[in-house]
Amino acid sequence: MARRKQYKILARQTAIYKTIVSELQKNPELADYDMDTIEISVKKKITPRIQNVDKAIRNLTTYLAVNKEYIKTFNGETIVSKKEIAKMLKISRPTLDKWIREKFITPVQSEALSKTETFPPDLILKQLQKQKNKK
């Protein structure tokens, strides 16, 4: 995994150094610390992305072409669980959880089954295409 780039500067090089020191000196735990050594570090923001979105799209498209008739529907609604969509995409469930957390893909609340999240393959395919177009 690549490390984030980090930028460090000495706090005493900033216009707010005295304010920083004043605030830190209020904390008794820092009484024996050298305030001249205060550093400020900023990490470069990394925009999350899917490593191989083309492969995920290809896997889902292939699965749909071969197995479309085996996908469950209820009252006209496609019902696909998290486990099933992970299988269709050929990714692990932790990877799928990460993609959901990062908002690459979003499950929908089932209208037919209360309190059930579902992953309609056509919607997931559109969401992955959108991620591909962001590159």
Side-chain angles (χ1 to χ4, degrees):
M1 179 179 270
R3 295 192 66 164
R4 277 190 190 189
K5 292 192 179 195
Q6 190 172 7
Y7 180 75
K8 288 185 180 184
I9 62 169
L10 291 173
R12 69 175 172 261
Q13 295 173 332
T14 67
I16 60 167
Y17 174 66
K18 289 180 182 178
T19 306
I20 294 171
V21 170
S22 172
E23 285 297 314
L24 292 176
Q25 286 176 334
K26 293 177 185 176
N27 185 341
E29 293 177 20
L30 299 176
D32 295 336
Y33 284 79
D34 181 5
M35 296 298 162
D36 286 337
T37 61
I38 299 170
E39 291 182 338
I40 299 172
S41 66
V42 181
K43 291 184 179 180
K44 186 172 184 168
K45 183 177 180 180
I46 297 176
T47 305
R49 63 182 181 88
I50 296 176
Q51 285 288 343
N52 195 341
V53 71
D54 290 324
K55 185 176 180 182
I57 291 169
R58 188 171 51 252
N59 290 340
L60 183 54
T61 305
T62 302
Y63 187 93
L64 291 174
V66 175
N67 300 302
K68 185 121 179 145
E69 67 272 9
Y70 300 112
I71 297 173
K72 293 176 264 176
T73 58
F74 185 73
N75 289 346
E77 181 181 349
T78 306
I79 307 294
V80 176
S81 69
K82 184 185 285 189
K83 181 179 177 182
E84 291 168 323
I85 198 69
K87 179 182 173 186
M88 292 175 190
L89 293 167
K90 293 186 180 180
I91 60 173
S92 68
R93 294 224 321 251
T95 297
L96 180 60
D97 289 337
K98 181 182 179 208
W99 289 6
I100 293 167
R101 260 192 328 273
E102 300 290 346
K103 306 276 192 249
F104 296 141
I105 61 173
T106 308
V108 295
Q109 191 66 39
S110 173
E111 293 178 13
L113 304 171
S114 65
K115 299 180 184 176
T116 302
E117 282 187 336
T118 186
F119 297 82
D122 295 338
L123 176 64
I124 300 302
L125 192 56
K126 286 178 187 174
Q127 293 172 355
L128 290 172
Q129 289 285 0
K130 184 178 175 183
Q131 288 301 315
K132 178 181 176 178
N133 294 336
K134 283 185 178 181
K135 284 185 176 182

